[in-house]
C-alpha cells in the first residue's frame, strides 16, 4: 500500500458536535496513521493520531452513524447522506474497521 493512499476516505459525511452540525458534506480520512475530519472545503475540523481515537456505534442512532472521540471531543459522523443509506451503512462499518486496524479503540 502506498503511503499517499488513504486507508479510509469518505465524502458527504454529516459531522456533528452536539448540539450542532459542523458540516453536512464533510470528509473523513485516515491517512498515514492520522484521522482527520474535514469540511467540504477541505479545512480541518479536528485531527488526531488514530491510536488515540475511540470510535463506535451509538445505541441511539441508525446504522450509518458512528461516534468518534478525538482529542477528548466527541463527534457524530453520519455516512451516506442524501438518501444513500445502504452505502452509508457500509461506509460506517469500513470506518470502524479502519480505526481498529490502524490501532484505534473500537467501543
Amino acid at each position: 500500500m502506498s503511503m499517499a493512499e488513504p486507508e479510509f476516505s469518505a465524502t458527504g459525511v454529516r459531522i456533528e458536535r452536539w448540539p450542532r452540525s459542523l458540516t453536512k458534506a464533510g470528509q473523513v480520512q485516515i491517512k498515514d496513521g492520522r484521522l482527520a475530519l474535514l469540511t467540504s472545503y477541505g479545512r480541518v475540523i479536528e485531527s488526531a493520531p488514530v491510536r488515540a481515537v475511540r470510535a463506535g456505534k451509538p445505541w441511539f442512532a441508525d446504522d450509518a452513524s458512528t461516534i468518534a472521540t478525538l482529542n477528548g471531543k466527541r463527534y457524530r459522523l453520519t455516512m451516506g447522506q442524501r438518501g444513500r443509506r445502504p452505502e452509508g451503512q457500509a461506509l460506517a462499518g469500513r470506518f470502524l474497521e479502519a480505526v481498529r486496524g490502524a490501532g484505534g479503540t473500537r467501543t
Side-chain angles (χ1 to χ4, degrees):
M1 176 167 56
S2 167
M3 291 302 279
E5 288 292 314
E7 291 109 53
F8 177 84
S9 181
T11 58
V13 179
R14 175 186 284 265
I15 301 173
E16 298 171 285
R17 182 152 182 247
W18 194 85
R20 66 188 187 106
S21 175
L22 301 175
T23 182
K24 293 181 182 176
Q27 302 172 48
V28 176
Q29 287 188 344
I30 297 176
K31 184 175 175 180
D32 298 329
R34 290 193 70 80
L35 170 63
L37 306 179
L38 310 163
T39 67
S40 57
Y41 300 107
R43 184 180 60 83
V44 175
I45 295 170
E46 193 80 40
S47 176
V50 180
R51 291 183 317 276
V53 171
R54 289 181 39 218
K57 297 287 289 173
W59 62 268
F60 54 82
D62 66 25
D63 290 336
S65 293
T66 62
I67 296 292
T69 304
L70 290 77
N71 304 319
K73 298 176 192 159
R74 194 169 158 163
Y75 296 91
R76 181 175 172 180
L77 312 174
T78 305
M79 313 280 178
Q81 292 293 287
R82 300 185 187 97
R84 299 184 312 237
R85 288 292 176 214
E87 179 183 317
Q89 282 182 288
L91 281 171
R94 284 190 12 236
F95 168 72
L96 293 173
E97 289 304 314
V99 168
R100 190 178 73 185
T105 304
R106 184 171 172 182
T107 58

